[in-house]
Amino acid sequence: MQSLARHQGPPNQEDDYNRRVTLRELWKDVPGLRAVAPLSYSHEESFVLSRPEESQPEDAELIESTIFEAHSSAKAGGTGFTHFLDGAQKSIRCGYAGMDPIVLAHTSAAIVERCDRQIVAPEEDKYSAALELFATTSVPCPLEMPLHVLPPQEKTTGIANEERLAKEVSNTREARETALARAFQGECLLMDGGIGKAINDRRPDAFLVGMVKSHQRQYFQSEARIQVILDLKPGERTTVFRRTGSYSREADVASFYLRLREDPHQGPLFGLVRVELPISDSLVARADDIAAWILHERDPLSLPDARFDRMLYPIRLVEKHLKARQPSEAAMRAIVGL
């Protein structure tokens, strides 16, 4: 399997950014608006500001059987996944409207196909991206640059609005991923993240699998069932359960925990992922096959990524491709004009 070739974008994309009217020029005579030296923050850091989802009040409903236990999923000799989907984002704080921050962000998503053990660059209909402004009030924008204005809230602080903007950027990236997943017509798609929104408008037996690397929501209250999850060994999964939708237009999905790797010197969630698939008898019956495919995708190791214990190599290649197509730091600073 090879890395995707770096996509350089349109021939003079960086020059196009430099030729735009800067935000500093647009805002210099607008009362209350100011452009500031860009301060970047990562996707992961933005989630630190967000409150985790609350746990549900009782244990999730079991689908596969009446006993919640560990199941061994031997590593398969191959994998059935043919396509992989991921998203990326890059944000800078570029200004203020009064005390409220303004964010310039590039969000993107792509589906790539694996052909003869090679990952190939996505076709244009399987790539979605845009550079946009995010603010709490309407502000002048460079030509053709979209603006996301958050609905007003009473008694909000600048810090609270920064949290809201970070969430809106993440929601925009997620919406790109969801749109691509809904339109997907290929064979077996593995998506980084949950699939609840993606399967809402698709047939119930669509072969779309999601892999969630974070654990912000707790689906079991029983200490015994929580211990089953924490005691999973590499290659073991839990009984399949129903993960209820948390948001509007999010379908319920079948889900199970799977341990990819372990390290006695790491925390209990090291190498632990949660897998999602449509609630379909035929797909739930293939939970062992799907777990085995995911285990097969662990190699090669996704180093030097800090999430190597939960990051599958094909997903890392999609992420690297998306980051290669993001505007550079210099290009984003050129838009600000500082």
Side-chain angles (χ1 to χ4, degrees):
M1 188 184 299
Q2 287 187 348
S3 233
L4 293 166
R6 180 178 175 88
H7 182 100
Q8 299 294 341
N12 296 311
Q13 187 181 55
E14 298 287 303
D15 291 341
D16 289 343
Y17 288 134
N18 289 325
R19 284 197 294 266
R20 291 184 179 183
V21 176
T22 67
L23 297 179
R24 179 175 61 85
E25 292 169 328
L26 280 175
W27 297 346
K28 65 179 181 179
D29 296 322
V30 181
L33 282 186
R34 69 171 65 189
V36 298
L39 175 65
S40 64
Y41 52 92
S42 71
H43 176 191
E44 289 75 26
E45 287 169 343
S46 70
F47 275 107
V48 174
L49 298 173
S50 304
R51 279 165 52 183
E53 299 177 49
E54 294 183 1
S55 302
Q56 56 188 46
E58 56 188 22
D59 287 347
E61 173 193 352
L62 302 186
I63 295 178
E64 187 178 9
S65 71
T66 59
I67 302 174
F68 190 73
E69 59 185 349
H71 301 252
S72 178
S73 299
K75 185 175 178 180
T79 175
F81 292 121
T82 60
H83 294 75
F84 303 89
L85 186 156
D86 196 11
Q89 63 190 62
K90 183 175 188 177
S91 305
I92 60 172
R93 187 188 305 127
C94 62
Y96 283 88
M99 288 291 294
D100 292 338
I102 302 170
V103 171
L104 176 65
H106 183 272
T107 60
S108 59
I111 294 177
V112 302
E113 183 179 4
R114 179 164 52 199
C115 298
D116 298 326
R117 301 185 66 186
Q118 304 290 322
I119 295 291
V120 297
E123 300 174 359
E124 286 308 306
D125 64 340
K126 291 182 174 61
Y127 173 76
S128 172
L131 185 65
E132 302 164 295
L133 275 176
F134 296 77
T136 57
T137 187
S138 182
V139 298
C141 293
L143 185 64
E144 298 180 354
M145 180 178 290
L147 170 67
H148 293 249
V149 179
L150 299 186
Q153 287 187 351
E154 294 184 2
K155 299 179 180 179
T156 54
T157 64
I159 294 176
N161 281 327
E162 185 147 11
E163 291 185 35
R164 295 173 66 208
L165 290 171
K167 186 65 175 176
E168 183 66 15
V169 172
S170 294
N171 288 343
T172 301
R173 170 189 49 78
E174 183 182 282
R176 296 189 185 282
E177 298 171 17
T178 299
L180 289 179
R182 286 178 176 171
F184 177 71
Q185 298 296 325
E187 298 176 54
C188 304
L189 175 65
L190 179 62
M191 178 176 178
D192 186 62
I195 65 170
K197 294 180 180 179
I199 66 171
N200 212 22
D201 297 327
R202 294 177 61 87
R203 66 182 192 275
D205 61 342
F207 211 122
L208 174 61
V209 177
M211 197 186 79
V212 182
K213 302 190 297 296
S214 62
H215 304 284
Q216 292 184 324
R217 184 177 176 185
Q218 187 172 316
Y219 295 94
F220 296 95
Q221 296 298 319
S222 161
E223 290 186 9
R225 292 187 173 183
I226 293 173
Q227 200 61 48
V228 168
I229 298 170
L230 299 182
D231 287 344
L232 289 175
K233 302 301 181 185
E236 290 184 344
R237 68 169 178 87
T238 65
T239 301
V240 180
F241 61 92
R242 179 187 296 270
R243 197 274 290 165
T244 55
S246 305
Y247 310 99
S248 62
R249 291 181 56 78
E250 184 177 36
D252 290 1
V253 299
S255 186
F256 60 84
Y257 288 93
L258 174 67
R259 179 80 69 179
L260 301 181
R261 309 179 189 278
E262 71 174 350
D263 185 335
H265 304 296
Q266 298 290 342
L269 301 182
F270 182 87
L272 184 71
V273 298
R274 188 172 56 78
V275 181
E276 294 189 355
L277 52 150
I279 300 179
S280 158
D281 289 344
S282 61
L283 289 179
V284 171
R286 299 192 65 183
D288 278 331
D289 291 337
I290 292 169
W293 291 357
I294 292 174
L295 292 170
H296 180 84
E297 301 289 359
R298 292 177 300 179
D299 302 320
L301 200 63
S302 294
L303 288 172
D305 195 292
R307 303 159 295 170
F308 73 91
D309 60 307
R310 293 154 289 139
M311 172 72 81
L312 299 183
Y313 189 68
I315 295 295
R316 181 169 183 265
L317 293 183
V318 182
E319 184 178 277
K320 287 179 66 178
H321 177 79
L322 291 171
K323 289 183 176 180
R325 298 180 73 165
Q326 290 174 338
S328 67
E329 292 284 344
M332 295 182 78
R333 288 175 177 273
I335 293 172
V336 180
L338 289 171

